[in-house]
Amino acid sequence: AHAAFYAIGAYASAILTTRFGFNFWEALPVSILLSTVCGILIGLPSLRVRSHYLAIATLGLLIAINNMIINMTSLTGGPTGISGIPRPAFFGIPLESEYRYYYLVLGVAVLLFFFARLITNHGIGRSFRAVREDYIAAQALGINVAKQQILAFALSGLYAGVAGTLYAHMLSYISPDTFSFNEMMFMLTIVIIGGMGSIYGSVAGAALLIVGRELLNEFESWQQVVYGVMIVLLVLFLPGGLVTVKTLFQRRRRA
């Protein structure tokens, strides 16, 4: 459902700034709050279903959110989307150019990266890992599994809400096509290629796949083929993701 959280952040900010007179900095916390609440709501089924059943449930949310965006024409613009989303200003400096806006996105990304590191190094992160590995054993150790699962979904909604808001104001236009099943699969691919369970792996996966996609634009009709082959090769030769490259080199050196 990550693309659904992403869509909620983007549409909330777009609607608030284009129809209700909010500026970017006023709309940002509201968008984050809405996507976080959505994360909590979709986290509730995780208390009763697990594994692929939970994946199906979250996929259902993505489809529902996408259909709502398309059908609520008076609020979301329907299939045509919302245009004219304003660029923000930072301490009076308008971020109209892509270069200036880049530094805003970079600054937010760095802050969220260190926030994620803080979480993973904290007791919360250790609880997350315990629940991921074996939730029954985690319960036996006294961890409130339900609370940790809801918190994990809430944090997912928070991060995606920030990303969606930044995306909407970067392009100044959004439509339902952006927040589709394909976008969800692309996000999942980034995590798998980078290395699941690693913050650094997620950063590496995003850098490789997004830059790779742009570089392959010159191949035109062959772009998707080359891109797909690249992903297959990475999965075959680096099943643990890019984050395992250092470990593989260390093993070969010892051998």
Side-chain angles (χ1 to χ4, degrees):
H2 216 67
F5 306 148
Y6 188 38
I8 288 167
Y11 268 91
S13 186
I15 292 167
L16 289 171
T17 52
T18 58
R19 304 198 179 187
F20 295 99
F22 283 59
N23 63 39
F24 172 83
W25 301 107
E26 293 168 341
L28 179 61
V30 179
S31 303
I32 292 172
L33 178 63
L34 287 172
S35 56
T36 303
V37 169
C38 181
I40 293 170
L41 292 175
I42 192 57
L44 293 175
S46 72
L47 305 181
R48 299 185 64 86
V49 294
R50 299 185 182 279
S51 187
H52 47 283
Y53 295 108
L54 179 59
I56 293 168
T58 59
L59 175 60
L61 175 73
L62 171 60
I63 295 168
I65 292 291
N66 203 269
N67 283 330
M68 285 173 63
I69 291 171
I70 293 171
N71 292 313
M72 295 174 68
T73 309
S74 59
L75 186 64
T76 63
T80 57
I82 300 174
S83 60
I85 305 168
R87 282 278 180 93
F90 187 71
F91 288 106
I93 302 170
L95 305 179
E96 295 297 332
S97 71
E98 291 183 355
Y99 299 103
R100 287 183 178 179
Y101 198 81
Y102 163 78
Y103 288 106
L104 170 65
V105 176
L106 179 63
V108 173
V110 169
L111 284 174
L112 292 179
F113 174 83
F114 283 108
F115 180 53
R117 277 193 59 187
L118 181 66
I119 292 169
T120 53
N121 293 330
H122 190 268
I124 295 172
R126 291 190 288 274
S127 296
F128 282 169
R129 287 192 288 275
V131 173
R132 179 190 66 191
E133 297 300 332
D134 191 330
Y135 77 95
I136 296 175
Q139 280 180 322
L141 291 170
I143 295 172
N144 188 332
V145 172
K147 177 183 173 182
Q148 298 303 323
Q149 289 178 187
I150 295 295
L151 181 58
F153 272 95
L155 287 169
S156 294
L158 185 152
Y159 270 76
V162 174
T165 301
L166 289 171
Y167 178 82
H169 289 269
M170 179 185 73
L171 291 186
S172 297
Y173 170 77
I174 52 173
S175 69
D177 295 338
T178 309
F179 313 102
S180 62
F181 179 77
N182 290 340
E183 190 67 18
M184 184 194 72
M185 290 304 299
F186 183 65
M187 292 179 188
L188 183 61
T189 305
I190 285 174
V191 177
I192 293 172
I193 294 297
M196 295 182 72
S198 169
I199 303 171
Y200 295 97
S202 295
V203 173
L208 177 70
L209 294 186
I210 292 172
V211 172
R213 185 168 64 178
E214 294 302 316
L215 292 175
L216 290 170
N217 279 336
E218 60 185 81
F219 288 92
E220 295 179 357
S221 59
W222 287 95
Q223 179 190 10
Q224 294 298 326
V225 175
V226 176
Y227 193 66
V229 169
M230 182 179 72
I231 291 173
V232 169
L233 291 174
L234 281 168
V235 171
L236 284 174
F237 294 103
L238 288 173
L242 294 171
V243 75
T244 60
V245 170
K246 182 180 177 181
T247 306
L248 289 174
F249 276 119
Q250 288 175 340
R251 285 178 181 172
R252 292 196 174 186
R253 190 183 303 162
R254 284 196 296 269

